[in-house]
Amino acid sequence: YMDDAIAQGKSVTTIARELEQFLVPGRQLRQANKPFGVDASFEAMRLARTEIARAHAQATIVAATLNPLVDGIKWNLSAAHPKRDICDVYAEGGPNGDGTYPLDDHPEMGPHVNCLCFWTPVTLNAVGQRAAIADLRSSGALQMISPLQPDKLRRALLGEDMGIVSPAREMAA
């Protein structure tokens, strides 16, 4: 359900309302702080927020991995990060201690429920970018995926050709 709801671009509130039937049926709804004035199940909202954040993190990693101008990813704390926890350790980790990790060796995003931390791609320096672009042009890789191949592009963006499986799909399997 979560994979489909996120792929359809449903909001956290919509997902939470639809999830309520699967969690604790009949539980009294609570007034949510954000968006103001919305009654929702806390458990459903938490699940929806957590899974949307994980999907965003996975999409960022896939996009960064496919981008030859990116050589790492940086762990960023959410502005709503309330107290020191494992996320702070990751934000201060990596080979240089600045929260930047290699694309093939990084912690899993979403180490706890309600984690809203996020990845940002780290690009090569100008010299590295010029070299990567020259390599792409000479290898013909720029012609590998075109707008005329939407299925190949979709598989690449979803990481299906890279063996990436979403946590929700793993649980369903």
Side-chain angles (χ1 to χ4, degrees):
Y1 167 80
M2 292 301 299
D3 284 344
D4 291 339
I6 291 169
Q8 292 171 19
K10 291 183 179 181
S11 72
V12 169
T13 0
T14 301
I15 292 172
R17 284 201 176 112
E18 292 174 0
L19 282 175
E20 287 169 5
Q21 64 181 318
F22 302 112
L23 299 175
V24 184
R27 177 174 249 175
Q28 185 173 351
L29 303 180
R30 294 174 24 180
Q31 188 80 19
N33 292 334
K34 294 180 182 175
F36 296 105
V38 175
D39 288 336
S41 159
F42 173 77
E43 292 84 2
M45 291 290 281
R46 179 180 59 201
L47 178 59
R49 278 192 307 270
T50 301
E51 289 305 312
I52 288 172
R54 282 188 183 149
H56 179 269
Q58 183 177 357
T60 301
I61 290 171
V62 169
T65 302
L66 294 172
N67 187 335
L69 303 180
V70 172
D71 69 343
I73 50 173
K74 181 171 177 40
W75 183 287
N76 299 276
L77 293 175
S78 163
H81 192 73
K83 62 181 191 261
R84 187 163 179 81
D85 63 10
I86 188 67
C87 295
D88 294 275
V89 173
Y90 292 152
E92 298 163 356
N96 299 324
D98 62 354
T100 301
Y101 296 85
L103 290 168
D104 60 352
D105 185 24
H106 55 79
E108 271 305 305
M109 185 58 73
H112 58 81
V113 294
N114 265 338
C115 182
L116 298 178
C117 295
F118 58 96
W119 290 118
T120 51
V122 177
T123 57
L124 296 166
N125 62 30
V127 173
Q129 286 183 16
R130 284 192 290 276
I133 291 170
D135 287 347
L136 283 171
R137 285 188 178 132
S138 67
S139 71
L142 292 175
Q143 280 68 44
M144 283 176 47
I145 298 176
S146 77
L148 300 176
Q149 298 170 309
D151 287 337
K152 189 172 184 180
L153 178 61
R154 182 191 58 77
R155 284 193 314 276
L157 291 175
L158 293 175
E160 292 173 357
D161 293 336
M162 297 169 54
I164 294 174
V165 178
S166 74
R169 287 192 197 264
E170 283 180 349
M171 289 173 53

